[in-house]
Amino acid sequence: MAYRYYEDVSPGSPTRRAPRAFFRSDSAAVDLAGDWRFRLSDRAEGTGPEFWKPDADDAGWDLLPVPSHWVMHGHGHPIYTNVRYPFPVDPPHVPTENPTGDYRHVFDLPDSWTDGAAVLRFEGVESCFKAWLNGEELGWSTGSRLPTEFDVGPILRPAGNVLAVRVHQWSAGSYVEDQDMWWLPGIFRSVTLVARPEGSLDDLFVQADYDAATGAGRLLVATDRPARVSIPELGLDGHPSGTEIAFPDIEPWSAERPRLYDGVVATDTERVPIRVGFRRVEIVDGEFRVNGVRIVFRGVNRHEFHPDTGRVLTREDARADVELMKRHNFNAVRTSHYPPHPDFLDLCDELGLWVIDECDIETHGFGKAHGVDNAWVGNPSDDPAWEPAYLDRMQRMVERDKNHPSIVMWSLGNEANTGQNFERMAQWTRRRDPSRPIHYEGDRAGRYVDVYSLMYTSHDALAAIGRREEPAHPDAEDDPVLDARRRAMPFILCEYGHAMGNGPGGLSDYDALFDAHPRCHGGFIWEWIDHGIRARPQTGDEYFAYGGDFGEEIHDGNFVIDGLVFPDRTPSPGLIEFAKVSEPVRITAGSTPGTIGIRNRYHHVDTAHLAFTWRLEDEGIEVASGSLPVPPIPAGRSIEVRRPELPAVDGDAWLTVEAALASDHDYAPSGHRVAWGQVQVRSAPARVGGAPVPVTPTTSGYRVGAAEFDADGLMTSIHGYDVTGPRLDVWRAPTDNDRASRRAPQRVEDDWRRFGLDRMRHRIVSVAPADDSLLVRTKVGASATRFGFDVAYRWTGADDTVAVEVSVRPDGEWPVPIPRIGLLLALPETLDQVEWYGAGPGEAYRDSRAAAGIGRYRADVDAMQTPYVFPQENGNRTDTRWLRLTDDSGHGLRIDGDPVFDFTVRRWTSGDLDQATHAHELKPRDQIFVNLDHAHHGLGSASCGPIPLPQHQLQAGDVTFQLRFMAAATS
Ligand code: GAL
């Protein structure tokens, strides 16, 4: 058999081996992006042995854009698996059926091009490729999200250069690229030809340190040949490279104030622009500090994803991500689980985010490939044969990215267990760049990393870590030195708050622990974006596809839809919640009456860039507003300011204080709200109904005030509107967190269905009209189970209202929490205009309600749905004082709480939501379904993490709640 390079565990054989920094210079460069000739074959032999020959005939081939993934352009299809390899685990071999794309591209050199050395650079090709130029083989390479370079100078011709590239979907490299994402083959990052004129720079390493104690900076620009460093702002003009320069007084770089000094490193033949950020990262006394200050990562894990192009992102896409992150109070990003396109790191430098740059290594599928959980048999991480590949990947990342001030840690990879190859990577990295700590969650014993890191840790376990009282790692039980090493480390949650579907819940509780324990340095939400691929069927509605939608043989369904933004980057409620929980300024009631407390939670900047304003609302209507003078508060400090003078109000009144950007910033315009707080200044008693009216019998049942009931005590109309219900509802369409993952301690959905919460039936026990009320008793229970609820509805009427007091008593000791407790009713579809006074504007649940402020909000029913890619419970509004549902002319119903309730309004039922598997499958019925809830079970993040905290669970117990219905016009 011929040598199969794509089954070789070595990293490849490109003609130019030494990795180096990514930079753009004034040397000539040709971007080879465009439509290339392309043909897909189903085996590694591709289109045959001679496709690379310059005169090979490619006339009948397709055209495919470069960069792109061929599966996003109708050639084959994407595959989604989380942990499992979609091929037999038989390393380093790959299936004979190995989709292979042959590419051919003909290009000319620009007239200005001069002969000499030149490099052909591929920024990313998944997963293995070989290249030929003008009939000469250049070599092959692996490392999908890493650059590969070939020396091509002598082979180039002025015109008619023929570049041929053969890309294999599967290679030995695939075994170390088992990240939880779509498998997307192709030349997916740019390909450039860069002239390297005699005397040009090969590499440069910009090392810029900042001493917070003195304010001094030190700069060393190391180059592979003598060069001159100029930074006009610092008075540097042609300073020799390789010699350190001290600055007595420098402005440091931080994520909060990303100060960059523009400069140039020049040789006689080339000028390379640099952007220098001075900062120092260090671990002192078990704390992770930047520029002398302990920092808390308010971070997110970012995969590169676009619903139409996969992992092909434009600079604008990358910028949209950074801007959105900054606008939602993120200060950090982990580049899960591979080095991103260099543009993204430039933007992090420029706009300010702390970055953990992660190497392109994951071998998760070895965890259970032998049928036993966590067996890791044959894991490459501990196999010396793979050491060159591991080291090579780390070197290519560190060398490429070393000049970014935003990068504060190197991460060795993800979910590849531990092993000697990781130790080698850490050793090499420490020598090459001692300025940045090393992260790898897989080194849980803490042998070779600098920070202790876990994922999806529960709140309790996090608190124990904060106290440095966590259990010893099994490897360290008899090794006090190892145990002490890890226990002395700062801690981060490299992943937490699994943002799959509706959630995550519990973010405020995590934030409180980051505040309480200096060892806990925050974390990184899993994850930034839903990886839904936009599907445009020939007939029917567009939708976002996930695992299984392409007929994959094995797949992990919608586990790839777990981001804070929807696939099209629309913010989800989870993002809005994060922004509130993580706001860098906390505004609360002050400790003494009449004051407002303001705490600056920034690490490095004062609040001078913020403008504070206030407004007073009476039942949600603004009655006064103004600006609030707040002196600049230094980083980490709190003050109390006097409340503004407020006019007298009669109703329920809230004072809202907001902090917004006082001027334009790179990531958001002036006026962008950064933080807010609310204080109730007056509470108004609930409205009382009019004079009581007696219950009257009718031919078909009863009348109670403006409501008609049938003989079974079921309401049939209210204020002239046909009604179905209201009656007890305890079901919700399970969220991804209710459905949970195998990791979760409790799959609450299974319990809910086992105990029949999805199929409750209502038996009328008695209907007892009395003078002043109609008392209806029911027994609610489900097939096959003896658990249920006894429910009593006491209806009373007044001139203008119909009120109900609902008493619910569980029958039997319910062994599981219940989804919700409240009433469900259905109203005519015309009542689709919603106005409410309560928490809003967005959806909120008991453990995800920080972002909802008390106010008066309006929306139509359609706008109140959150279009989760995988349909599930959504759209709940909480702390509602009153709700109006009206038609276009303003007529309809008003519902008052006593004091408050939760509600959802939708054109479909919870059952419809439960059945649908994609958002476009939900079809409006001809009614509006209204849930009026006394309480809800929390969200938690059990889709890959903890269930809701005990205080956020809804246990069945005796409850009584009241609601009042009236005509909307009476409001
Ligand atoms: C982690 C993993 C991520 C992702 C997440 C679940 O274990 O590192 O890549 O799979 O779980 O969505």
Side-chain angles (χ1 to χ4, degrees):
M1 292 301 270
Y3 164 61
R4 296 178 181 155
Y5 58 93
Y6 52 88
E7 291 185 330
D8 190 329
V9 299
S10 84
S13 68
T15 44
R16 191 182 179 94
R17 289 300 301 256
R20 61 198 187 101
F22 175 89
F23 58 79
R24 297 184 175 97
S25 75
D26 64 350
S27 294
V30 183
D31 180 355
L32 296 178
D35 285 341
W36 293 21
R37 290 281 172 193
F38 175 79
R39 180 160 279 187
L40 182 65
S41 311
D42 55 10
R43 298 167 76 111
E45 291 72 31
T47 51
E50 301 198 333
F51 91 104
W52 46 267
K53 291 198 165 166
D55 55 358
D57 180 12
D58 59 15
W61 291 26
D62 290 319
L63 289 175
L64 181 75
V66 169
S68 78
H69 305 280
W70 65 68
V71 290
M72 302 297 284
H73 292 266
H75 303 277
H77 61 77
I79 299 172
Y80 166 58
T81 58
N82 169 12
V83 174
R84 297 172 295 172
Y85 291 100
F87 47 79
V89 183
D90 179 22
H93 305 293
V94 296
T96 301
E97 294 155 71
N98 186 358
T100 292
D102 284 345
Y103 294 74
R104 287 171 57 90
H105 183 57
V106 181
F107 63 93
D108 300 338
L109 298 178
D111 294 343
S112 56
W113 193 273
T114 47
D115 287 351
V119 164
L120 179 65
R121 183 171 168 109
F122 291 79
E123 297 298 340
V125 180
E126 181 168 329
S127 76
C128 173
F129 73 105
K130 193 179 233 188
W132 295 258
L133 183 63
N134 296 333
E136 277 196 42
E137 184 174 319
L138 301 176
W140 64 276
S141 181
T142 52
S144 298
R145 274 66 62 167
L146 288 162
T148 301
E149 293 188 322
F150 302 100
D151 284 317
V152 294
I155 317 174
L156 286 170
R157 308 174 184 147
N161 292 284
V162 182
L163 174 60
V165 185
R166 171 163 288 168
V167 181
H168 307 286
Q169 171 152 23
W170 308 124
S171 67
S174 306
Y175 284 98
V176 293
E177 294 179 1
D178 188 27
Q179 291 95 339
D180 174 7
M181 59 188 191
W182 296 98
W183 297 87
L184 298 175
I187 305 175
F188 75 99
R189 286 187 187 157
S190 51
V191 183
T192 38
L193 181 70
V194 191
R196 307 310 303 130
E198 189 63 32
S200 62
L201 280 175
D202 200 40
D203 194 14
L204 75 168
F205 191 178
V206 179
Q207 295 156 79
D209 178 60
Y210 173 73
D211 182 345
T214 60
R218 281 186 301 122
L219 175 67
L220 175 66
V221 180
T223 48
D224 63 293
R225 63 173 64 234
R228 298 176 301 277
V229 182
S230 302
I231 303 179
E233 245 191 300
L234 293 174
L236 270 195
D237 185 11
H239 188 91
S241 65
T243 55
E244 192 172 287
I245 316 154
F247 303 97
D249 190 19
I250 208 83
E251 284 180 54
W253 186 96
S254 72
E256 293 162 3
R257 186 162 293 146
R259 178 69 162 97
L260 292 170
Y261 292 89
D262 286 332
V264 170
V265 181
T267 66
D268 290 345
T269 53
E270 186 174 44
R271 290 168 58 80
V272 179
I274 55 169
R275 309 196 82 182
V276 183
F278 292 83
R279 91 265 177 294
R280 183 183 295 176
V281 182
E282 56 194 340
I283 293 174
V284 184
D285 296 338
E287 280 184 16
F288 191 101
R289 297 187 188 160
V290 183
N291 300 340
V293 178
R294 165 186 177 255
I295 63 168
V296 176
F297 294 107
R298 305 192 194 286
V300 67
N301 282 281
R302 174 183 184 264
H303 267 287
E304 295 186 310
F305 188 75
H306 187 285
D308 300 317
T309 55
R311 283 188 283 279
V312 182
L313 265 66
T314 62
R315 192 180 171 88
E316 290 67 43
D317 297 329
R319 189 170 179 109
D321 281 350
V322 177
E323 285 185 4
L324 265 179
M325 287 176 190
K326 294 282 293 182
R327 288 181 189 184
H328 291 88
N329 293 332
F330 284 98
N331 66 9
V333 64
R334 169 175 176 234
T335 70
S336 56
H337 300 300
Y338 43 81
H341 190 286
D343 282 350
F344 179 74
L345 298 171
D346 285 345
L347 290 160
C348 291
D349 292 345
E350 196 177 310
L351 276 67
L353 285 172
W354 313 113
V355 177
I356 301 183
D357 197 8
E358 187 152 280
C359 194
D360 193 2
I361 294 181
E362 174 160 340
T363 64
H364 207 169
F366 281 88
K368 46 181 149 211
H370 287 73
V372 183
D373 265 5
N374 277 322
W376 295 100
V377 178
N379 184 21
S381 306
D382 206 28
D383 178 348
W386 288 86
E387 183 186 314
Y390 275 56
L391 254 186
D392 168 84
R393 284 171 185 249
M394 194 65 187
Q395 290 167 345
R396 278 153 79 192
M397 174 177 81
V398 171
E399 297 297 357
R400 190 194 76 163
D401 295 343
K402 58 188 180 275
N403 294 330
H404 291 282
S406 55
I407 297 174
V408 291
M409 270 197 270
W410 299 116
S411 176
L412 305 177
N414 185 60
E415 294 190 318
N417 205 26
T418 188
Q420 52 183 304
N421 297 335
F422 281 120
E423 296 206 44
R424 295 294 107 72
M425 289 162 78
Q427 280 161 6
W428 176 86
T429 306
R430 226 167 246 125
R431 273 200 312 276
R432 176 64 176 143
D433 178 20
S435 78
R436 292 174 174 105
I438 294 173
H439 168 270
Y440 175 49
E441 188 263 355
D443 179 22
R444 301 214 182 130
R447 287 179 198 281
Y448 47 87
V449 292
D450 298 311
V451 298
Y452 180 30
S453 167
L454 292 176
M455 42 176 86
Y456 308 113
T457 310
S458 69
H459 297 82
D460 281 354
L462 179 62
I465 292 169
R467 299 190 300 269
R468 296 188 199 261
E469 286 172 4
E470 73 278 12
H473 185 274
D475 290 3
E477 272 162 6
D478 300 317
D479 187 343
V481 177
L482 182 61
D483 188 56
R485 179 176 197 276
R486 187 190 46 71
R487 218 170 272 283
M489 290 176 183
F491 179 78
I492 66 161
L493 282 166
C494 67
E495 295 177 26
Y496 80 111
H498 197 250
M500 185 177 183
N502 191 343
L507 292 183
S508 296
D509 310 278
Y510 277 112
D511 188 71
L513 291 167
F514 303 151
D515 257 4
H517 299 286
R519 187 188 188 191
C520 298
H521 288 266
F524 296 77
I525 298 283
W526 188 266
E527 64 173 310
W528 176 242
I529 187 167
D530 288 343
H531 308 209
I533 294 180
R534 200 188 319 262
R536 296 193 167 99
Q538 286 185 334
T539 55
D541 301 327
E542 173 176 308
Y543 65 96
F544 291 115
Y546 49 76
D549 287 338
F550 298 97
E552 301 107 290
E553 180 177 281
I554 59 164
H555 63 83
D556 289 291
N558 68 322
F559 203 61
V560 77
I561 307 292
D562 54 358
L564 289 174
V565 297
F566 293 108
D568 61 3
R569 292 186 160 69
T570 306
S572 79
L575 182 69
I576 309 299
E577 177 75 0
F578 181 90
K580 174 66 179 138
V581 167
S582 305
E583 51 191 11
V585 171
R586 272 278 188 268
I587 302 169
T588 52
S591 59
T592 49
T595 62
I596 293 169
I598 304 176
R599 178 170 156 225
N600 179 355
R601 307 205 310 162
Y602 284 108
H603 304 117
H604 294 111
V605 299
D606 65 20
T607 55
H609 63 292
L610 300 174
F612 291 79
T613 54
W614 63 271
R615 65 172 188 275
L616 179 70
E617 286 164 338
D618 184 356
E619 209 173 307
I621 308 261
E622 183 171 312
V623 289
S625 64
S627 67
L628 185 72
V630 176
I633 309 167
R637 306 289 277 276
S638 303
I639 62 165
E640 298 203 340
V641 295
R642 289 205 64 73
R643 220 162 71 175
E645 286 302 319
L646 301 177
V649 278
D650 311 327
D652 195 55
W654 288 75
L655 174 68
T656 304
V657 174
E658 294 190 352
L661 292 180
S663 59
D664 290 347
H665 280 57
D666 286 343
Y667 63 90
S670 156
H672 162 75
R673 186 174 75 173
V674 169
W676 58 276
Q678 277 192 319
V679 182
Q680 188 168 24
V681 294
R682 186 176 186 283
S683 64
R687 165 200 297 249
V688 266
V693 295
V695 174
T696 47
T698 62
T699 49
S700 54
Y702 310 94
R703 177 176 306 124
V704 183
E708 303 284 341
F709 291 80
D710 66 14
D712 289 337
L714 274 183
M715 189 188 274
T716 53
S717 78
I718 185 164
H719 283 285
Y721 295 103
D722 289 347
V723 186
T724 318
R727 64 183 194 180
L728 182 78
D729 191 15
V730 286
W731 179 237
R732 74 181 183 199
T735 64
D736 287 308
N737 291 314
D738 298 334
R739 296 169 74 211
S741 70
R742 280 178 300 277
R743 284 165 82 131
Q746 184 183 20
R747 293 163 65 99
V748 76
E749 179 197 9
D750 293 352
D751 288 342
W752 287 350
R753 293 196 197 271
R754 191 149 53 95
F755 291 102
L757 283 153
D758 57 336
R759 53 176 191 275
M760 287 292 173
R761 296 299 168 103
H762 301 249
R763 175 168 67 81
I764 293 145
V765 176
S766 62
V767 181
D771 261 5
D772 60 342
S773 68
L774 176 68
L775 178 64
V776 183
R777 291 186 183 279
T778 63
K779 174 84 182 213
V780 178
S783 52
T785 154
R786 58 166 295 279
F787 297 101
F789 301 93
D790 292 310
V791 189
Y793 307 82
R794 181 183 294 279
W795 292 97
T796 51
D799 281 351
D800 53 354
T801 61
V802 183
V804 65
E805 181 188 81
V806 186
S807 304
V808 184
R809 160 162 297 190
D811 179 14
E813 290 274 305
W814 272 89
V816 291
I818 53 174
R820 59 153 38 105
I821 261 206
L823 295 182
L824 169 65
L825 64 155
L827 292 168
E829 62 183 333
T830 49
L831 299 187
D832 62 357
Q833 299 300 309
V834 191
E835 187 186 12
W836 74 101
Y837 176 52
E843 77 179 29
Y845 291 80
R846 65 198 284 167
D847 57 350
S848 176
R849 66 149 337 285
I854 301 300
R856 189 184 284 224
Y857 304 99
R858 270 204 186 98
D860 67 22
V861 166
D862 300 318
M864 295 193 70
Q865 316 307 308
T866 306
Y868 291 111
V869 170
F870 183 90
Q872 53 198 279
E873 161 64 29
N874 72 84
N876 186 64
R877 279 15 184 224
T878 195
D879 273 346
T880 315
R881 278 72 171 158
W882 54 253
L883 160 70
R884 295 173 80 232
L885 295 164
T886 58
D887 59 21
D888 290 344
S889 66
H891 292 95
L893 288 180
R894 167 173 163 144
I895 302 158
D896 278 22
D898 187 12
V900 292
F901 60 100
D902 281 19
F903 75 93
T904 58
V905 285
R906 33 177 92 103
R907 295 189 188 276
W908 36 76
T909 64
S910 292
D912 297 337
L913 270 176
D914 190 4
Q915 290 299 311
T917 60
H918 296 83
H920 71 293
E921 294 161 16
L922 290 164
K923 301 291 178 222
R925 292 180 182 255
D926 60 2
Q927 282 179 303
I928 293 193
F929 300 88
V930 186
N931 274 98
L932 306 167
D933 287 323
H934 173 68
H936 258 267
H937 186 61
L939 299 174
S941 70
S943 52
C944 190
I947 60 171
L949 285 167
Q951 65 270 30
H952 300 314
Q953 298 180 10
L954 177 58
Q955 303 297 346
D958 290 1
V959 297
T960 298
F961 57 92
Q962 291 91 20
L963 292 161
R964 276 197 309 277
F965 299 79
M966 60 207 89
T970 63
S971 73

